Amino acid sequence: MTSTGIRLHAPAPGWSIPADVVVVGSGVAGLTAALRCEAAGLTTVVVTKARLDDGSTRWAQGGIAAALGDGDTPEQHRDDTLVAGAGLCDENAVRLLVSEGPDAVRRLIDTGARFDTDDAGSIQLTREGGHHRRRIAHAGGDATGAEISRALVDAVRARGLRTIENALVLDLLTDAEGRTAGVTLHVMGEGQHDGVGAVHAPAVVLATGGMGQVFSATTNPSVSTGDGVALALRAGAEVSDLEFVQFHPTVLFLGPDAEGQQPLVSEAVRGEGAHLVDDDGTRFMLGQHELAELAPRDIVAKGITRRMQEMGAEHMYLDARHFGAHMWEHRFPTILAACRAHGIDPVTQPIPVAPAAHYASGGVRTDDRGRTTVPGLYACGEVACTGVHGANRLASNSLLEGLVYAERLAADIAAEQAEQAGHTANGPHTRVPVPAPVPHPGTPAHPLLAPEDKLAVQRIMTEGAGVLRSAASLERAARRLAELHDRASDALDGEGKTAEPGVDTWEATNLLDVARVLVAAAALREETRGCHWREDHADRDDAHWRRHLVVTLRADRSLAVRTTESADFPPTR
């Protein structure tokens, strides 16, 4: 691994704290990793961009998938995951997920998470797209993420972990040998506008969630601006599979000009028997796939988009009027409230829906212990690319992946630091010395975008790299993104300063970083596979493209792209 030497334009840290581990993010992956590291005796600091319970996890409605039901097996779960991944899953990563998943869910329950149960006390299981069995555990009907977040946040507070809330992570700190030495961060609302501090630690866990805000309409919260992937790129880490962005098929349609976070209508609604229909009331998914409305998400999103094109419509409908008021109120209270808040009553009306950006199957490339290609840097959850999801995530595998791989990386960090402490101080309880970070550079190597460019990036990506893509649309997107990048570069003055450092400019710059990688990968992958849909290359091409695209950032901020030899990832170390 070669460091790029690139950092965001920001002041040198004015304060610092030491730790054994710093976890960036407070969803299921981040808090699980933090709790496991703390339980292993490591001094752990959690940094999160908003409040502890404000990440993407709490927005998850459907549930968490695991082979918990009678007659279900990890092998069946594996098979459904591999089918959804369209030939690009790393089979070892999937095997670990499904085999370790059931016990990981039980440990989550032991931590305090309360799932919905039947009268006998057994966990209620539902079904979602791509699953041939009921294996989705849920909580509060359609508030699974909120319950998991509550349980983990309560556990973190009970254990007294140090947390830094409302903090935007900026860049990875490394020592003279390129090993991780911590992170820089800005605590929003405290101190001066561009005040920066640091957490010094030999291990950093990225659990920053997704990058849905790179598109105009998304189910992701406003904090999902690709910060972790952008940080990893600047640190020299490999990222992979960013072209595989899952567009959730059924997002409440709020109008053609709606932007930002949109209300999700969970796949579990279809799992309980809702139908997708067009303006004429026709169930258009029948005959397109054996599972009809419960086909994998990429197939349903494409089916909806095709029907919209055929009919010149802006949306389709999800019809669950046959559920009745009681089922809506008890099984899907969150969705019912969201629809009614926007003037739609699902009890008496079909719900207008359209696809919107939902989940990034790709991210920072890791091995099966969460290790990236940068020594000491780990990643888990949506920011990571473990190889589990391949070209399309199976519904409700995301919470499980965050849980399983957070536990795996925490075990690796604890083992590695115990070994280093034993070697350096001849004692298992001696702390590993915190590496001395390379001094903060005097001038930035990365220009900042103006705040208004964030909206420009989102519109470019929606128009050129959304559900439907082509060589022409991706070329236009790449050219317009390059213009934004070049304009920011040309604005550098004699002191190396572009736009004013701050949350809005740092976020816009991070979005541009991930957008450039996504578009470059999507342009190179000349096939349709999973949630990557090329209108000009409509077929899947296993001979040429049953492999991953791996991207790194060069010191001159250009992109280096290579392909793997197979669908399985090579080692990171």
Side-chain angles (χ1 to χ4, degrees), residues 73-83 91 94-95 98:
T73 65
E75 289 73 28
Q76 294 176 64
H77 188 185
R78 176 202 63 200
D79 291 345
D80 285 345
T81 299
L82 294 177
V83 169
E91 294 199 22
V94 175
R95 179 185 60 80
V98 300

Side-chain angles (χ1 to χ4, degrees), residues 28-30 32-33 57 63-66 77 81 90 93-94 96-98 100-102 104-105 207 209 241 359-368 370 379-390 393-409 569:
V28 62
T32 299
T57 290
I64 184 167
H77 188 185
T81 299
D90 182 300
V94 175
L96 292 171
L97 176 82
V98 300
E100 297 181 11
V105 172
D241 295 0
Y359 189 88
S361 292
V364 186
R365 190 171 82 81
T366 73
D367 63 11
D368 61 14
C380 57
E382 190 174 355
V383 70
C385 183
T386 63
V388 158
H389 304 308
R393 174 179 67 95
L394 181 66
S396 288
N397 266 359
S398 51
L399 292 175
L400 189 71
E401 183 200 29
L403 192 63
V404 168
Y405 280 87
E407 292 187 341
R408 294 186 65 82
L409 71 79
F569 278 126

